[in-house]
Each structure stands twice: as structure tokens, then as C-alpha cells.
Amino acid sequence: VGIHDDGKEEGLAELVRNSIPEDSVILDLDNGEISCDDRYETLKAAYQIIPTEPRSMLIKEIEALCADAGIVPGQEPLDYGVDSAIDVTCPRSPVESSSKDQQNRLPFDDRAVRDNFLRFFCSILGGYERFLVVPDADFLISGNDWFDSSKFI
């Protein structure tokens, strides 16, 4: 689930950050940080389970959006080290350039990132209904057993 951080202390993003569900991970796309408590090794192992083709497509699409906006791998956020109390506009790069290429850069499109992740999740979760297990008439099967996750993966 994507959540926009509005910066408010009572906002949804802050609430999630302060009470992260046990099986959840927070990816801060603004800062490039991952919050998952002590489950980072599990997260790294899970990366290999994600189907290769959808995973590669997602990575290519995100990299293309970053390239369009002039963001290079490892780049600090544009407002890194800037006091937020000072109203300034940060240059796209430490050295201000007047080249035509620099002027034609697209702004980073966070909605396109959201759309890319939506397409990704739809592609890997499509057809999940085939793995639902119909409970018996008396519902003696536990609710946890109503989905065959081993066959789904």
C-alpha cells in the first residue's frame, strides 16, 4: 500500500511509522530508506522469490522515471542539507547548468511510480483466486488454510 507522507504529526504515514505491523515493510522513496525492524535478512531473501520478469520490468520503469527526472543512482535528495526554514529552490545539480538538456528534464512523477507499483502487484497477484481453498460445510478448516500459499508461490 502506498502512503503519501504529508509531514503531519497526526498523519497516516506517521501513524504507520510508529506502529508498523509485524509483517510490513516501509519503503521511504524520498530518502531511500527501508524500515522493517529486524526482518531485513528475510526481506533480502524474499526478493529472490518475486517473479523475475515483473520484478525486472518494475525496476526498468522506475529507473526510466528517475532518468527522465535527472536522478542518478546514489544521488542525495535535492533538498539534502537544506534548512527547511529557509525558503529556497534547490538547483537540479550542485553545479547550476544552463544546458538545454538540463532545462528539458521532466519533474519526478510520483504518480507514475504509484502506477508502476500497481501494475507490478496486479501482474504478480493476478489469478490468486485459483489458490483459494473452499472450506468444508462446517468450516472446520482454519481461516489460515483458506489460501494455498505454497502453490501460489
Side-chain angles (χ1 to χ4, degrees):
V1 174
I3 300 173
H4 174 71
D5 189 353
D6 56 9
K8 296 180 181 176
E9 290 182 25
E10 298 85 26
L12 178 60
E14 189 63 28
L15 174 68
V16 170
R17 236 187 323 275
N18 290 333
S19 58
I20 181 172
E22 182 178 317
D23 57 352
S24 299
V25 174
I26 295 178
L27 299 173
D28 186 338
L29 297 178
D30 293 324
N31 298 319
E33 296 174 356
I34 299 174
S35 301
C36 57
D37 298 331
D38 58 349
R39 298 180 313 275
Y40 189 70
E41 291 303 317
T42 304
L43 177 65
K44 286 186 350 185
Y47 178 81
Q48 299 304 321
I49 295 173
I50 300 171
T52 307
E53 187 176 330
R55 181 182 69 202
S56 297
M57 183 61 72
L58 174 67
I59 292 169
K60 286 178 189 174
E61 290 172 344
I62 299 298
E63 286 176 343
L65 287 171
C66 291
D68 289 345
I71 300 171
V72 296
Q75 176 179 333
E76 294 289 345
L78 293 177
D79 59 354
Y80 177 76
V82 175
D83 188 341
S84 60
I86 302 171
D87 186 20
V88 297
T89 302
C90 296
R92 288 212 169 267
S93 67
V95 177
E96 192 65 49
S97 171
S98 61
S99 70
K100 189 173 187 175
D101 179 52
Q102 193 69 20
Q103 294 171 357
N104 291 333
R105 294 280 184 198
L106 299 172
F108 187 69
D109 188 353
D110 59 336
R111 290 182 183 265
V113 171
R114 180 196 61 193
D115 294 345
N116 287 330
F117 274 95
L118 178 62
R119 279 192 298 276
F120 168 74
F121 283 117
C122 288
S123 72
I124 65 171
L125 296 176
Y128 77 92
E129 301 94 346
R130 294 179 301 207
F131 303 98
L132 293 175
V133 177
V134 178
D136 59 3
D138 298 323
F139 289 91
L140 296 177
I141 298 174
S142 165
N144 293 333
D145 297 328
W146 292 5
F147 184 76
D148 191 346
S149 59
S150 61
K151 288 183 181 175
F152 178 74
I153 293 176

